[in-house]
Amino acid sequence: MTSSTFKRISNSGFTKLALFLLFALVPFFFAVNDVQLFIFWGINILLAQSINLLSGFAGQISLGHAAFYAIGAYTSAIFMTKFGLSLVVTILLAALLNGLVGYLLSFPAGRVKEFYLAMMTLGFGFIVQEVAKEWSSVTGGVMGLSGIPSPQLGTFTLLGIPMGLAYYYWVVLVIVVFFLWMFKNFVQSYIGRSFLAVHRSELSAASIGISPQFVKQLAYTVSALMAGVAGALYAHLMGYIGTNSFGMMQSIEILVMGILGGFGTIIGPILGAGFLTFIPNKLQFIQEYQLMIYSLLLVVSFLIIPQGFAGVLKLRTSLYKNLKSKEKSPSPATTVVAKREINDLDANRSHQPILTTTNVIKDFSGLRALNGISFNLYRGEILGLIGPNGSGKSTLVNLISGIYPITSGAISFEDDDITNKQSHLIATKGIIRTFQDPHNVANMTVRENLLLGNHRLYQSGILSCTLNLKRSIAEEQEMLAKVDQIMVLSELAQYADDQVGNLPYGIQRIVEVARAILAEPKILLLDEPAAGLSETELKLLIQLIRYVKSKGIPVVLIDHHMDFVSSLVDRVVVLDSGEEIYTGDMKGMKQNKQVIEAYLGVAKHA
Amino acid sequence: MSSLQFALELIFTGLCVGAVYSLIAHGFNITFWTTKVVNFGHGPFIMFCSMLVLSFLMKGLPWIVSIPLGFSIIILLGYILERFSIRPLLKYPTSMGWIVSTLGLGLFLQALASKIWGAQALAFPPFIFQATDYVSIFGIQLSAQYLLVLVMALVIMLLMEVIINKTIWGKAMKAVAFDPNFARVMGIKSKMVMTLSFMISALLAGVAGILIAPIYGTITPEFGMNIMVLGFVAAVLGGIGSSKGALFGGLMLGVIEKLVGGYISTSAEHGVAFLILIIILALKPDGFFGVKVVQKV
């Protein structure tokens, strides 16, 4: 059986329904102990997906995830025992409170990265456990909370009906399935893709209009919310909660489930959770050495199976919704093209600048990289930005796209002042750039990377994407059609489903340029797009840039390849050591003394 | 006067504990210089060394043998850590690999310690002085044991500073910290310097372990992880990578902790440290003496 047939079978609605029914039958065929294990699996799936969203998708490592689990468990337990609220309400409260905690945590956590974040989350885990230990009037302190209504003790009722373990199992099953469905919709939407983009590089995510800050806030909130639901379900399963259940080892167990299963996929954490639920329980000797085995798994998993079980089984989760069979919109490709072809050609070239830099100065701790650069970019033109290495070309692009703050001067776009605006806001306005080395998301396919380009055009809300509302799906189909069109134009169709990281360098560059085009920019900034391209790839690039020009989109082009530049540009600005030494057409440039001096060192040899 | 005396005693205890935090922070700094890696298993290293020394002592070995033996084993562990948990994972672009892997090795030591010595607290004997030995300075009673810890921690840090700034090894380490590839071109065995930095870092963990253990009085397999985060707070407070910062951050954290413990509640001691960590990372991630890193495009 090939993987594609496997995929088709596992994706069909019938298979899913059959699986669901099979799981629903579990209480009839298994002993009480095993049913309890299945419930634990469900709870662990929620935990594993929770950390998967935060660490696997958004790339924010968490070593204190048990803290969220604890807050959920305590909240739900306290509201039920002290106020007699129903499970439906307490789960919601646990989820909401946790979401709030996650949201608040995202502010300090969003400011740090890498091992700083790891330590911070480790500290957060300790703090929450410490609070649970010390705040004994509410949490029961080290004694824990007992007497929580539990189906195992027969003290549990839902909506007035007394519930046994089997009923509780079904409740958990429905909740888990519902969450998995929402999780899948979420990660396959433009929001889910933006998580991976931030994971790869906040810089490049911002360059296509994704706000890293927003992504992190959302990731922490949703991740905490899911862990909160898991905590609530755990508290009512056990009937007792103590601080020992939410220590560092629990955080590590959650992390192991995610890593071992495979971060960044949907099936992975489900398998990881299952592994850690059933294996230690069924094999006694493992229980005895459980901690040692978990820690060794941490040491070796990244070395041996960096992508976890999902990687071993080659089960990749695709990151877009392909529902073409259901939603046959009347060939959207043509309508899109037609709409865009209307405003065309040199008619758009005017003498009204779309981008103006005024006396821009940039200092890097004492070194002046740019000294008073003023230039205009006019609608519909291609402007070459050239100069020797270190002359400040890339710095200028970095200033325009908001990556570096400007020391002094101003940049305005259309009628807005964009000086020192945040990078993603500038991109949202329509100033899109590429980088000297391609900044695609290596573990996403070409199609998914190109969809990232569309990010700033999406309008559906988070809820709409999560619940697969019709509008969000129609929007996704529309974007997919645009992607198809550009893939044909840039000859990428044959690579559509290949992961970008596995493709040759030249193709990666083309993907990045195509991605930028898909953002439907108002200005396109290309930083050395031709570097390292083969002859054929170069021709393709020229074709793409001409296409952009035909849309009336102005382009700023940095490159050293003179034939390439001169075949495309309308005007050039030449920089040398941070000074603007020439502005005008190519012909004039070649005769300009200062330019020749800058390139060849001595003027008289020219 | 008695309230002043109380405050002074708290500050003194804070300085002693803080000096150990400084040592831990130094341990982070050394590997951070050479590889931009901090060992997430540093805490269990601290614990493991004190456990080893304790078990040698209980076997009847004298201090003079137990301590070098403990140090040798911990240095060996530092070597193993670098070879298996760090070197193979440095090639990945994200830090998640080595964070998880060093943490895993640390947790393994922790689990191993509870397997061998049990999970309960073990009494650690006082070192050189008795717990009841006091020195009186300016009318306040200072525990001789604490004073010894403070002096030793300061001496070790001073020694390190001298080694790094004056000797050829220190200079090689600085060169590797600046640019490992460039250092290699200049004839420095970068890889060896990196390995060495992890062995020194492990040794510092061991030293911190046997200095803090007599102060705590008892040790458990878990105590390392907790104190590691405190050492990290010290490092962040001063600015990761700065020796001055490690010293200052550690002492400051120790004093704050003890003052909070003395005037508010002892159970809030560690909580305050984590709070400081979150606040300092949110407001000034480079710490007081750190160097701001420029983002490269």
Side-chain angles (χ1 to χ4, degrees):
Chain A
M1 185 163 68
T2 65
S3 77
S4 69
T5 42
F6 176 77
K7 227 177 194 165
R8 205 171 331 125
I9 291 170
S10 65
N11 274 341
S12 80
F14 177 75
T15 323
K16 281 174 187 162
L17 187 69
L19 260 176
F20 179 73
L21 288 177
L22 216 60
F23 273 112
L25 291 177
V26 161
F28 298 113
F29 295 101
F30 286 91
V32 174
N33 275 344
D34 290 326
V35 174
Q36 196 192 1
L37 270 187
F38 272 100
I39 295 176
F40 263 117
W41 187 19
I43 292 171
N44 284 339
I45 287 173
L46 289 179
L47 287 174
Q49 297 294 17
S50 157
I51 202 166
N52 184 24
L53 187 75
L54 187 61
S55 308
F57 282 91
Q60 309 298 308
I61 192 167
S62 169
L63 301 181
H65 224 65
F68 294 124
Y69 190 36
I71 295 170
Y74 277 104
T75 308
S76 185
I78 290 165
F79 276 106
M80 191 176 283
T81 49
K82 298 227 163 122
F83 303 101
L85 296 175
S86 145
L87 182 72
V88 181
V89 182
T90 60
I91 284 189
L92 276 177
L93 283 172
L96 285 177
L97 184 73
N98 244 320
L100 184 68
V101 172
Y103 177 71
L104 291 177
L105 186 70
S106 77
F107 287 91
R111 296 202 44 166
V112 292
K113 281 179 210 165
E114 316 251 305
F115 67 84
Y116 291 96
L117 181 62
M119 271 297 174
M120 187 195 258
T121 50
L122 196 62
F124 176 68
F126 282 137
I127 268 193
V128 169
Q129 200 190 8
E130 205 75 19
V131 168
K133 264 185 201 156
E134 301 297 335
W135 198 12
S136 35
S137 60
V138 174
T139 62
V142 281
M143 301 295 293
L145 267 185
S146 51
I148 306 164
S150 159
Q152 303 211 68
L153 307 169
T155 51
F156 189 80
T157 56
L158 182 62
L159 307 170
I161 310 159
M163 290 181 91
L165 199 63
Y167 286 97
Y168 196 68
Y169 170 81
W170 287 319
V171 170
V172 174
L173 178 68
V174 168
I175 290 175
V176 169
V177 168
F178 182 57
F179 263 96
L180 284 177
W181 178 72
M182 290 198 296
F183 191 77
K184 185 170 193 281
N185 296 340
F186 186 86
V187 300
Q188 291 186 333
S189 73
Y190 75 103
I191 302 171
R193 291 189 292 268
S194 74
F195 276 36
L196 273 173
V198 168
H199 188 169
R200 158 63 177 85
S201 154
E202 291 183 23
L203 203 71
S204 92
S207 80
I208 40 177
I210 296 166
S211 160
Q213 206 189 349
F214 173 75
V215 163
K216 288 184 202 172
Q217 283 164 6
L218 191 62
Y220 276 99
T221 309
V222 177
S223 173
L225 192 148
M226 286 174 74
V229 173
L233 293 175
Y234 171 78
H236 301 298
L237 174 66
M238 302 309 286
Y240 163 82
I241 47 175
T243 53
N244 283 342
S245 317
F246 306 108
M248 193 190 158
M249 279 325 290
Q250 180 62 50
S251 294
I252 298 308
E253 197 179 322
I254 298 173
L255 189 65
V256 173
M257 287 191 274
I259 292 177
L260 202 62
F263 270 153
T265 64
I266 289 174
I267 186 75
I270 297 176
L271 297 177
F275 187 81
L276 259 63
T277 307
F278 291 101
I279 301 294
N281 190 278
K282 294 294 169 198
L283 301 173
Q284 283 305 315
F285 75 94
I286 285 188
Q287 226 161 21
E288 198 178 334
Y289 294 96
Q290 200 171 353
L291 296 187
M292 283 178 166
I293 292 170
Y294 286 1
S295 47
L296 280 184
L297 283 176
L298 278 181
V299 177
V300 300
S301 59
F302 259 95
L303 287 175
I304 300 170
I305 44 168
Q307 266 120 45
F309 294 151
V312 173
L313 299 172
K314 300 207 186 312
L315 297 173
R316 190 180 175 277
T317 301
S318 84
L319 298 165
Y320 64 96
K321 290 166 194 162
N322 196 2
L323 302 170
K324 271 187 187 140
S325 46
K326 279 185 205 163
E327 293 269 338
K328 259 265 166 40
S329 48
S331 61
T334 48
T335 54
V336 172
V337 176
K339 232 186 277 168
R340 291 218 114 260
E341 295 296 339
I342 298 167
N343 40 12
D344 201 354
L345 294 170
D346 281 9
N348 280 338
R349 267 187 85 181
S350 71
H351 295 291
Q352 196 197 353
I354 183 167
L355 181 83
T356 307
T357 74
T358 319
N359 215 4
V360 166
I361 293 175
K362 175 66 189 172
D363 291 333
F364 288 108
S365 51
L367 177 85
R368 180 149 291 188
L370 287 175
N371 191 13
I373 304 296
S374 300
F375 79 92
N376 289 328
L377 177 69
Y378 297 98
R379 291 173 199 279
E381 76 169 341
I382 300 182
L383 179 74
L385 195 57
I386 56 184
N389 283 325
S391 59
K393 306 179 300 287
S394 290
T395 304
L396 188 55
V397 167
N398 288 337
L399 293 183
I400 296 171
S401 55
I403 288 169
Y404 294 148
I406 294 176
T407 308
S408 78
I411 301 175
S412 65
F413 166 66
E414 290 182 328
D415 292 324
D416 302 329
D417 180 30
I418 56 162
T419 318
N420 293 342
K421 286 260 166 13
Q422 279 177 296
S423 189
H424 69 94
L425 292 178
I426 292 174
T428 309
K429 280 181 183 293
I431 303 180
I432 303 293
R433 64 164 298 171
T434 63
F435 293 86
Q436 279 190 11
D437 53 321
H439 273 50
N440 305 301
V441 183
N443 57 352
M444 281 167 72
T445 65
V446 169
R447 194 196 305 274
E448 290 157 3
N449 265 288
L450 294 181
L451 277 168
L452 267 182
N454 285 333
H455 184 88
R456 76 181 197 95
L457 308 175
Y458 276 91
Q459 284 166 353
S460 313
I462 298 165
L463 220 55
S464 169
C465 292
T466 310
L467 299 176
N468 259 3
L469 297 188
K470 216 170 172 184
R471 214 181 82 92
S472 80
I473 289 180
E475 189 177 46
E476 182 95 341
Q477 297 314 312
E478 193 190 324
M479 299 299 174
L480 276 168
K482 287 184 186 184
V483 167
D484 281 340
Q485 190 201 348
I486 292 293
M487 277 202 295
V488 171
L489 190 74
S490 50
E491 296 172 19
L492 288 170
Q494 52 176 320
Y495 305 112
D497 296 313
D498 292 339
Q499 291 187 33
V500 168
N502 302 334
L503 294 173
Y505 182 78
I507 305 289
Q508 295 193 23
R509 301 223 68 141
I510 299 289
V511 170
E512 201 193 14
V513 173
R515 183 176 89 168
I517 293 172
L518 275 160
E520 300 186 359
K522 287 183 179 158
I523 298 177
L524 185 59
L525 310 169
L526 299 173
D527 193 354
E528 299 195 15
L533 293 194
S534 70
E535 259 330 287
T536 39
E537 287 157 356
L538 196 62
K539 273 184 197 142
L540 193 58
L541 179 66
I542 293 173
Q543 195 181 314
L544 279 177
I545 295 174
R546 292 225 164 101
Y547 168 80
V548 172
K549 192 184 176 182
S550 77
K551 299 279 177 211
I553 300 165
V555 178
V556 174
L557 180 63
I558 298 181
D559 218 286
H560 289 294
H561 197 308
M562 274 310 146
D563 295 339
F564 166 69
V565 173
S566 55
S567 71
L568 283 166
V569 300
D570 300 305
R571 280 191 317 137
V572 286
V573 170
V574 185
L575 299 181
D576 183 36
S577 313
E579 308 271 355
E580 176 194 339
I581 56 170
Y582 175 82
T583 303
D585 58 10
M586 278 301 269
K587 214 169 149 195
M589 182 196 87
K590 283 176 183 159
Q591 288 152 4
N592 184 288
K593 260 188 171 172
Q594 254 184 307
V595 175
I596 295 164
E597 197 173 336
Y599 269 94
L600 298 175
V602 194
K604 61 188 170 202
H605 284 304
Chain B
M1 183 60 203
S2 76
S3 74
L4 179 66
Q5 200 169 349
F6 180 60
L8 284 175
E9 270 175 26
L10 286 177
I11 291 174
F12 168 70
T13 340
L15 287 176
C16 297
V17 179
V20 179
Y21 298 162
S22 297
L23 269 186
I24 300 169
H26 265 289
F28 283 134
N29 275 349
I30 287 180
T31 57
F32 180 77
W33 286 333
T34 56
T35 50
K36 296 281 173 288
V37 164
V38 299
N39 173 13
F40 273 72
H42 203 72
F45 273 61
I46 295 168
M47 174 276 303
F48 206 70
C49 188
S50 59
M51 284 284 190
L52 281 172
V53 171
L54 179 62
S55 70
F56 293 143
L57 287 174
M58 291 201 294
K59 289 249 156 54
L61 294 173
W63 283 99
I64 193 89
V65 180
S66 305
I67 291 180
L69 218 54
F71 284 170
S72 322
I73 296 175
I74 214 73
I75 291 173
L76 183 70
L77 283 172
Y79 174 77
I80 293 171
L81 177 87
E82 200 272 343
R83 288 312 302 269
F84 295 98
S85 282
I86 289 163
R87 193 176 290 183
L89 290 161
L90 277 181
K91 61 175 186 279
Y92 290 101
T94 74
S95 56
M96 207 181 289
W98 60 256
I99 289 177
V100 164
S101 175
T102 56
L103 181 70
L105 194 72
L107 289 172
F108 181 76
L109 287 181
Q110 192 170 318
L112 189 68
S114 7
K115 202 94 225 146
I116 302 175
W117 296 295
Q120 75 282 15
L122 299 172
F124 197 91
F127 181 57
I128 300 183
F129 297 105
Q130 288 308 306
T132 48
D133 287 347
Y134 281 93
V135 182
S136 189
I137 300 174
F138 304 126
I140 45 170
Q141 297 260 302
L142 304 182
S143 153
Q145 184 77 65
Y146 275 57
L147 206 56
L148 177 73
V149 166
L150 179 63
V151 170
M152 282 177 73
L154 293 178
V155 166
I156 289 164
M157 280 183 270
L158 193 70
L159 209 66
M160 272 195 37
E161 201 62 9
V162 171
I163 289 173
I164 284 163
N165 287 317
K166 303 284 180 210
T167 67
I168 189 81
W169 297 315
K171 283 176 184 150
M173 191 178 262
K174 275 188 163 175
V176 173
F178 184 72
D179 184 342
N181 290 322
F182 185 67
R184 189 154 44 233
V185 173
M186 297 305 287
I188 296 167
K189 289 176 177 148
S190 289
K191 287 241 163 83
M192 202 181 83
V193 173
M194 287 179 186
T195 313
L196 209 62
S197 72
F198 277 90
M199 291 160 74
I200 298 173
S201 171
L203 175 63
L204 281 179
V207 173
I210 56 167
L211 285 183
I212 197 78
I215 288 190
Y216 280 4
T218 58
I219 50 176
T220 63
E222 275 96 37
F223 96 94
M225 235 9 143
N226 252 299
I227 200 175
M228 171 185 86
V229 182
L230 298 175
F232 186 78
V233 178
V236 170
L237 203 58
I240 287 227
S242 154
S243 306
K244 225 190 303 171
L247 178 64
F248 169 80
L251 296 179
M252 189 164 131
L253 178 67
V255 171
I256 293 177
E257 230 187 58
K258 289 298 158 194
L259 286 178
V260 166
Y263 287 108
I264 301 170
S265 140
T266 43
S267 57
E269 263 185 38
H270 288 355
V272 162
F274 300 137
L275 218 60
I276 292 176
L277 175 70
I278 290 177
I279 292 170
I280 193 92
L281 282 180
L283 297 181
K284 202 173 181 331
D286 313 307
F288 286 104
F289 296 95
V291 187
K292 205 169 173 65
V293 184
V294 180
Q295 187 181 30
K296 281 187 190 149
V297 181

